[in-house]
Amino acid sequence: MSSSSFYPLLVIFSILTTCWGVKASDSSSKPPEKIGAGYCLLSVEETGDGGLLGLLEVNKKNSVYGSDIKHLQLYIKHETEQRLRVHITDATKPRWEVPYNLLPRSSPPSLKKALPKSTKRKAPSLVTPMEYSGSELIFSFTTNPFGFAVRRKSNNDVLFNTTAYSSSAFNNLIFKDQYLEVSTSLPSSASLYGLGENTQPHGIKIRPKEPYTLYTTDASAINLNTDLYGAHPVYMDLRNLNGKAFAHGVLLLNSNGMDVVYRGDSLTYKVIGGVLDFFFFAGESPLAVVDQYTELIGRPAPMPYWAFGFHQCRWGYHNLSVVEDVVANYEKAKIPLDVIWNDDDHMDFHKDFTLNPIAYPRQKLEAFLDRIHSKGMKYIVLIDPGIAVNSSYGVYNRAMADDVFIKYEGEPYLAQVWPGAVYFPDFLNPKTVTWWGDEIKRFHEMVPVDGLWIDMNEASNFCSGKCVIPQGIKCPSVTGPGWECCLDCKNITKTRWDDPPYKINASGKVAPIGFKTIATSASHYNGVLEYDAHSIYGFSQAVATHKALESLQGKRPFILSRSTFVGSGKYAAHWTGDNQGTWNDLRYSISTMLNFGIFGVPMVGSDICGFYPQPTEELCNRWIELGAFYPFSRDHANYYSPRQELYQWATVAESARNALGMRYKLLPYLYSLSFEAHVSGAPIARPLFFTFPNYVECYGLSTQFLLGRSVMVSPVLEQGATNVTALFPPGSWYSMFDMSHVVNSKEGANVTLDAPLHVVNVHVYQNSIIPMQQGGLISKEARMTPFTLVVTFPVGAEEGDAEGSLFLDEDELPEMKLGNDKSTLVSFYATLNKKAVKVWSKVQEGDFALTKGWAIEKLTVLGLDGVIAAGLELMIDGNPVLDLPDVEITTTDLNFVAKDDEDATMKSLMVEIKGLNIPVGKDFAMSWKMGFSG
């Protein structure tokens, strides 16, 4: 039942009003940018599902960007207690929407009554705003010009308001076939995040007057403020009201190209098609917003444990011997490595699902895979969507026989990518999904890969327009760059789809929307236009690829996709595309990573050390120190760049051993965060405001980030720097590399930390319990080592509590959940009460962990006051354990970094208890009491 059913509907049903005559907004008294006079709400009625259904009529048509659609249908529904939907579309005929089978959601009802043939204009009978109330959000509307607002019920704060006043810099609602415009006023104090994918040079916080265009393009990530590979029309709004933070989210579910204009006090959507399908998420914490968002779009995909290990790739591993050498050199350098990748070097002339018989002979590749698989290592290869037009190529022939390609004027649309002339599969066609799955199965039988990398799926095309294969010319040539168009092409501008009336800022330069991609007048299954479906191409490919991999051997799929859309995180991970080996790109990578966590794609990272050109040795040092803590951690380089594997420089190898060594110790924590992400959408890497929403100083911070709630990474991002100034929100922060060092930030402070070349600063916050293991060179080995629990209390506190969790499972099962006899969830708790310390666990479904033999060997407790008393009685499950010969208790005085006068007189301890052998799969309780110092 809808939550709104429990609240009175303060509305008038059936015909509300006839509409007041309104002057057209293109009169001489209006600014020239004003378009139209908006719409009038003619009627509204309650639907059987507890929603509202209304009819809108345009006040006065105009021809700017095309003719207005006369009648619109308005549907409003409190879909959950925290989610409100506002859907506006043509009342007379269907319009393009993101396919409901691709992104499942409820379908709006249709108006039952016939539309009025004419409307008399007279004074409205309804002049006051009317309300439709839910549990958390209230929808209100005015009739003429129609406008709506959404406000928070608890404090009456207006979250979204489309009403345009004479002084507003934006228009009332505009709804034409190829131009939709709607705006909201905003308080200048609102902090906005999201609206991507783009490289934001100034950090994660959206800035006024910078372009935000959403349209998937193969524009490398080095292009700033440009629409890149993904399209995510969602933002989070964080406001601090009288010292308390409130966050909410807004999604416009629309796949058409759009510009979003943020002015600081308003935000305007300018969309070139589709419908207005808004979803409002009440929050009110940042984590709650992402939870509510991913509840709608799909929870992030479960990731196998090995995916959190380190990955190595390069475009330019010319033969299998080079790949074998890379693996051997990582082992020799004692740098952890879990996954080795191939770009397209393994292919036969860049053709999908093939092997180069000379460079990657099948028998030798199979033997290599047998060797690395026996160690627990994995192998992933790239596939592009473009299928080479080649009658001797079985994949092509089967595709033609099944008629799976996107069409233009009845024939497969011809484009060019790496193999030369290609056709693009239409993943909206069910037959294509079946064919694609069959090709993946055939390839997997030949090469048992452990995941797939779907690239170039915006879709990227080296040409534009209508093309034919030239006669007598080798295309592509062997000598020239592979990305130069060598087909014979003509521009396509003859339709309104190829040349729409409103030009979005595509590619950051108002490029034609068919530029270097599929012509927008090309057609998909059931006549769907590329114009509408363009930005969901990579998403639809990820869905098809996930379905195919899941059917193979019953394993958990791993897919890395370049192009993403709303809901992609349910199927794939993402890397941020072609970056440069520069200090700026190092810094930009943090913002993009944090945005994708908000987008519901938590498994994300950038090419470590940069895709091109070769980074300096110092930069690569600093990049692996940062990249070791990306959720998805991979070194990847360009074909034309010198080698940059982490062992190529002795200094980088040392930094890698240090940073990745810590990552591999934290693998159980990272994997538990991935379970949290799968269950609730929670980002793995988060902005600091997720944990500290009331601390406004961190709202624009983009140079540090959190892993989960508690672990903060503060990397060096500047050339030549040997220290880093980091923001520490209020509380006690302990160094992960030397836990005896603590930053005690009482009210929050910027602290300068030492950071010589091989050092990255990582701190854990008070009130946390972090499960760690001993690390190793491969995750399969590391995850079988004994556990350490790190417990953090506030320095000097007489009372405190801490908590954490640990999720363990058979990590290659398709589902990541409890209840299958193949998983265990442990909740850890700790309390400090007048020097009495207690640490305990609650285990759900512990049999799995018991069969694996996992045990806690060490406990580290930080922030304790006092001393270990002589004759200390350490109890485990009520039994004294001091008589056990292997148990060793040590204490270390904490060192205060940037200490003040109060810190100078304070003494606090780290207590370590080693030699334990506590089964992870059983509840336990450990306690002791600190003595008094002095």
Side-chain angles (χ1 to χ4, degrees), residues 558-633:
F558 180 84
I559 301 165
L560 185 71
S561 180
R562 190 168 76 175
S563 185
T564 58
F565 186 71
V566 175
S568 285
K570 184 179 179 180
Y571 304 96
H574 175 64
W575 95 108
T576 63
D578 296 350
N579 57 2
Q580 286 188 305
T582 71
W583 291 93
N584 280 338
D585 286 77
L586 174 67
R587 187 175 72 254
Y588 302 153
S589 72
I590 298 176
S591 297
T592 307
M593 171 183 67
L594 297 180
N595 265 334
F596 269 86
I598 294 172
F599 298 153
V601 189
M603 191 62 166
V604 60
S606 295
D607 284 346
I608 293 172
C609 298
F611 184 59
Y612 70 95
Q614 184 185 33
T616 64
E617 184 175 349
E618 180 191 2
L619 175 59
C620 203
N621 269 276
R622 294 309 190 186
W623 211 318
I624 185 54
E625 290 171 358
L626 166 59
F629 300 97
Y630 293 154
F632 172 64
S633 184

Side-chain angles (χ1 to χ4, degrees), residues 248 401 602:
H248 68 273

Side-chain angles (χ1 to χ4, degrees), residues 138 561 773:
I138 298 173
S561 180
Q773 287 177 290

Side-chain angles (χ1 to χ4, degrees), residues 238-409:
L238 179 62
R239 305 178 186 182
N240 192 287
L241 305 176
N242 300 317
K244 178 173 172 53
F246 295 86
H248 68 273
V250 180
L251 165 67
L252 173 56
L253 186 54
N254 182 300
S255 64
N256 290 83
M258 69 179 77
D259 289 330
V260 185
V261 181
Y262 178 49
R263 303 178 185 87
D265 59 359
S266 66
L267 185 144
T268 298
Y269 299 89
K270 300 182 176 184
V271 193
I272 61 172
V275 302
L276 297 176
D277 195 4
F278 280 105
F279 295 86
F280 299 92
F281 308 95
E284 56 190 34
S285 71
L287 269 178
V289 172
V290 181
D291 184 4
Q292 294 153 21
Y293 178 57
T294 56
E295 181 185 24
L296 171 70
I297 68 167
R299 300 299 194 189
M303 294 289 156
Y305 199 92
W306 54 260
F308 291 93
F310 184 68
H311 303 242
Q312 178 61 52
C313 184
R314 174 182 172 79
W315 178 29
Y317 288 149
H318 300 298
N319 57 55
L320 180 58
S321 296
V322 177
V323 176
E324 293 174 316
D325 184 61
V326 169
V327 172
N329 278 312
Y330 266 94
E331 187 173 8
K332 182 179 179 181
K334 298 189 183 310
I335 300 171
L337 179 65
D338 259 76
V339 190
I340 188 71
W341 294 58
N342 265 127
D343 203 298
D344 70 355
D345 302 291
H346 67 285
M347 298 181 185
D348 185 21
F349 291 101
H350 309 286
K351 298 193 298 293
D352 282 344
F353 308 118
T354 64
L355 286 178
N356 183 315
I358 306 300
Y360 285 84
R362 179 179 175 181
Q363 286 188 330
K364 288 187 177 181
L365 180 58
E366 286 179 335
F368 168 70
L369 295 184
D370 286 343
R371 289 196 301 274
I372 67 169
H373 283 156
S374 67
K375 298 178 182 179
M377 287 186 64
K378 305 297 179 180
Y379 177 63
I380 296 175
V381 299
L382 172 144
I383 48 175
D384 290 333
I387 301 300
V389 179
N390 186 328
S391 60
S392 65
Y393 175 34
V395 176
Y396 166 79
N397 290 330
R398 289 187 291 271
M400 289 296 290
D402 288 341
D403 191 24
V404 303
F405 294 122
I406 292 171
K407 302 289 183 60
Y408 183 80
E409 295 181 341

Side-chain angles (χ1 to χ4, degrees), residues 901-919:
D901 292 340
E902 185 179 339
D903 290 334
T905 61
M906 184 181 295
K907 185 175 182 179
S908 191
L909 295 178
M910 173 174 69
V911 175
E912 291 186 301
I913 305 173
K914 303 177 183 178
L916 303 169
N917 187 25
I918 301 173

Side-chain angles (χ1 to χ4, degrees), residues 86-154:
V86 180
H87 183 279
I88 304 175
T89 187
D90 190 331
T92 61
K93 59 184 179 182
R95 288 179 61 81
W96 163 258
E97 299 188 51
V98 175
Y100 282 73
N101 63 336
L102 205 60
L103 190 66
R105 58 204 188 279
S106 60
S107 298
S110 299
L111 285 165
K112 297 176 182 177
K113 63 171 63 67
L115 296 177
K117 295 181 179 178
S118 63
T119 304
K120 293 182 180 180
R121 299 288 180 152
K122 58 183 181 181
S125 59
L126 182 65
V127 293
T128 56
M130 302 304 289
E131 295 183 350
Y132 169 50
S133 180
S135 297
E136 303 290 342
L137 299 174
I138 298 173
F139 177 89
S140 62
F141 56 89
T142 53
T143 57
N144 195 23
F146 169 75
F148 72 87
V150 178
R151 69 180 192 272
R152 192 181 298 282
K153 193 169 188 177
S154 62

